[in-house]
Amino acid sequence: MSITVTPTQSAPNRSDFVCEISGIDLAQPLKPADRDAIEEAINRYAVVVFHDQKLTDAQQIEFAGHFGPIHSSAQRARHQSIKHRLERTEIADISNLDGDGKVLDVNARRRLDWLANRLWHTDASFRAIPGALSMLYAHVVPDEGGDTEFADMRAAYDALDAATKKSLEGLVAMHSIFHSRGQLDVTKYTPEELASLPPVPQRLVRTHPGSHRKTLYLAAHASHIEGMPIPDGRLLLMDLMEHAVKPPFVHAHRWRQGDLVIWDNRCTMHRARPFDTTKVRDLRRVTTRDVASTLEQAA
Ligand code: OGA
Ligand code: MN
């Protein structure tokens, strides 16, 4: 049996952003034809959903490795002294659980840091070579809340007027993980942690290589625009963010246990929605590495 790709209507008249793929068990060795069909779906849609999967951490890593080299989790660089729950450094622990598998204390540092996933962002834009594809797998999900929302940055770019598009040409934004955390007043990082992830430049508009479509590249990590007074750059970023997360561009994913969701960080933003954080939500992510800094890629 071969895979079936079914477009999801994410907003009225929009069925080119999210799709569902069925007819495949991702725990089994991936056939080249299926790999290629999945990649084609990712390039076309940006968000791809698989239901009813049963994956170990090793199987999730193995699957992701078919789509590019894997980014080791930056969380570990930021939290060097705490006990980590999961052994494999390729997995980012997106759960609200501590090193012993217990729900994080309200004031736990990792919980405060993790809350920044509630801000619109794209994964690892704060690293010189940013993230490409993120693959998030649901082990345990709460009964209520905790959706993940996605914003279509190609559609958001397309909807800008010609003068705005022109004014954005060649602009470069600075990204730092500590800028997104700072917005929530989460600032207690050691000098070593701060030094491990210095701010990096990324293009504000880039061409998505798999579709050759132009896309905005925004995130809560972006603090200002190179060569512009900081307030002007920050206001521009705020205006673009506000534009890009309007309802026509946004899709909410309601999690079921066993879902694997892939999104393309090069042309989307996402954020977590609130839930009762005394309940367990155990999601684990593997992210592939982009080929180079956006500055070295097509504008
Ligand atoms: C992530 C992320 C959002 C969520 O895994 O990168 O931002 O809903 N997750 O947990
Ligand atoms: Mn994320």
Side-chain angles (χ1 to χ4, degrees), residues 217-286:
Y217 192 58
L218 292 169
H221 312 305
S223 59
H224 61 283
I225 304 288
E226 260 186 1
M228 233 185 240
I230 287 182
D232 292 275
R234 195 158 299 171
L235 287 165
L236 173 60
L237 291 166
M238 288 163 77
D239 282 347
L240 290 173
M241 281 274 194
E242 190 178 316
H243 163 75
V245 301
K246 291 208 175 104
F249 311 129
V250 171
H251 171 76
H253 179 72
R254 170 102 277 267
W255 288 96
R256 289 176 8 201
Q257 186 176 332
D259 284 353
L260 180 92
V261 178
I262 304 179
W263 64 86
D264 192 330
N265 288 293
R266 297 166 296 189
C267 57
T268 60
M269 283 196 296
H270 61 278
R271 66 170 178 178
R273 298 307 290 146
F275 67 101
D276 175 355
T277 60
T278 64
K279 303 273 183 347
V280 176
R281 182 174 185 263
D282 183 357
L283 269 56
R284 305 181 195 180
R285 169 162 61 75
V286 179

Side-chain angles (χ1 to χ4, degrees), residues 94 117 119 121-124 134 221 263 265 270-271 285:
I94 307 300
N117 280 344
L119 304 174
H121 67 283
T122 186
D123 291 333
S134 282
H221 312 305
W263 64 86
N265 288 293
H270 61 278
R271 66 170 178 178
R285 169 162 61 75

Side-chain angles (χ1 to χ4, degrees), residues 60 117-118 126 166 192 226 256-257 299:
Q60 186 182 351
N117 280 344
R118 297 256 306 271
F126 52 84
K166 186 101 190 106
E192 292 74 31
E226 260 186 1
R256 289 176 8 201
Q257 186 176 332

Side-chain angles (χ1 to χ4, degrees), residues 56-78:
T56 62
D57 291 353
Q59 286 165 335
Q60 186 182 351
I61 294 164
E62 158 89 19
F63 172 74
H66 288 281
F67 297 89
I70 292 168
H71 241 332
S72 68
S73 166
Q75 269 171 16
R76 291 177 200 250
R78 232 157 43 241

Side-chain angles (χ1 to χ4, degrees), residues 194-205:
L194 292 169
S196 72
L197 293 166
V200 300
Q202 303 288 3
R203 284 188 195 286
L204 186 58
V205 175

